Amino acid sequence: MTQSYFSDESFDNKDFTQHFSEKSDYENCIFRNCNFEYGNLSGSSFTDCEFIECNLSMTKLVKTSFHDVIFKECKMLGLQFSDCNPFGLSFKFEGSVLNNSVFYQTSIKKTVFKDSTLIEADFTECDLSGAVFSSCDLSGAVFDATNLEKTDFRTSVNYSIDPALNKLKKARFSLSEIYGLLYKLDIEIDKNS
């Protein structure tokens, strides 16, 4: 299959589950209300693109490149971001559902997760330094040997982070969610005092 190049195009209400142009380059493109569920984006490159209200659940991302890509209001269940091309990997998530997604060993410094759900997402051995989790639900998310230096969790909820296993220097947390850092100590915190 030959590689295709698309620039400044808009794709609306398309079903890419069967017929996506694999190993294609997309620059400054917008995908709106498109379905990629169980599809294959392997080998493709996306630069300065936006995905708006798309379903990318269980899509294959082997060697997929994302450079300055924004995902807004997308359903992204079970994605293996650890399979992506690591060179220049950068994206932003707004109002998206990333439950059960895997970011294992990815370097995604300064990534913004805003108003998103990351239930049981795996951030093991990730570099999330300087990242922002703004109003996110992190129930069951895994942080193990993760670099969380200067990461902002102040408006997020339901995280459990072991300070002994992760780098937390200058990370920011809210007092109301402090239990997420102390849960392993098996102590009781009285929120009414």
Side-chain angles (χ1 to χ4, degrees):
M1 180 175 282
T2 59
Q3 186 135 350
S4 301
Y5 177 75
F6 302 90
S7 179
D8 300 304
E9 290 193 37
S10 184
F11 302 90
D12 296 320
N13 302 306
K14 300 271 186 194
D15 186 351
F16 291 110
T17 54
Q18 302 293 323
H19 302 1
F20 187 76
S21 300
E22 285 186 55
K23 297 185 179 177
S24 296
D25 292 327
Y26 296 87
E27 187 173 344
N28 202 33
C29 291
I30 296 174
F31 298 87
R32 189 182 316 275
N33 198 29
C34 294
N35 187 16
F36 298 88
E37 189 173 26
Y38 291 99
N40 191 352
L41 299 180
S42 296
S44 292
S45 176
F46 300 89
T47 304
D48 296 315
C49 292
E50 284 187 56
F51 290 82
I52 302 166
E53 297 179 351
C54 293
N55 182 359
L56 293 110
S57 297
M58 301 304 292
T59 300
K60 290 182 184 175
L61 300 175
V62 178
K63 296 189 182 203
T64 304
S65 296
F66 291 114
H67 305 284
D68 297 319
V69 173
I70 298 174
F71 296 96
K72 293 180 182 175
E73 306 292 330
C74 290
K75 183 178 177 184
M76 309 173 76
L77 304 176
L79 292 182
Q80 299 284 330
F81 289 101
S82 53
D83 289 343
C84 290
N85 181 345
F87 183 75
L89 186 63
S90 59
F91 32 56
K92 179 179 181 179
F93 303 93
E94 295 180 12
S96 294
V97 179
L98 292 128
N99 298 350
N100 299 300
S101 289
V102 177
F103 295 88
Y104 176 71
Q105 291 186 333
T106 58
S107 178
I108 48 175
K109 298 176 183 181
K110 298 183 180 179
T111 297
V112 174
F113 298 88
K114 183 178 179 184
D115 300 318
S116 295
T117 306
L118 295 128
I119 295 172
E120 296 186 6
D122 185 356
F123 294 102
T124 301
E125 297 180 25
C126 247
D127 187 348
L128 281 165
S129 55
V132 175
F133 289 89
S134 176
S135 301
C136 293
D137 183 352
L138 294 159
S139 300
V142 177
F143 297 94
D144 187 5
T146 306
N147 184 349
L148 297 169
E149 293 177 350
K150 298 183 181 177
T151 299
D152 190 344
F153 290 95
R154 289 177 297 166
T155 58
S156 289
V157 295
N158 300 323
Y159 50 79
S160 296
I161 300 170
D162 186 342
L165 299 177
N166 298 282
K167 294 180 182 177
L168 294 174
K169 187 175 183 179
K170 305 249 184 212
R172 302 178 80 180
F173 300 92
S174 68
L175 187 57
S176 63
E177 289 293 315
I178 198 71
Y179 179 77
L181 293 172
L182 302 174
Y183 72 99
K184 282 198 89 167
L185 300 176
D186 196 26
I187 60 176
E188 292 184 27
I189 300 169
D190 187 358
K191 293 182 181 181
N192 296 324
S193 350

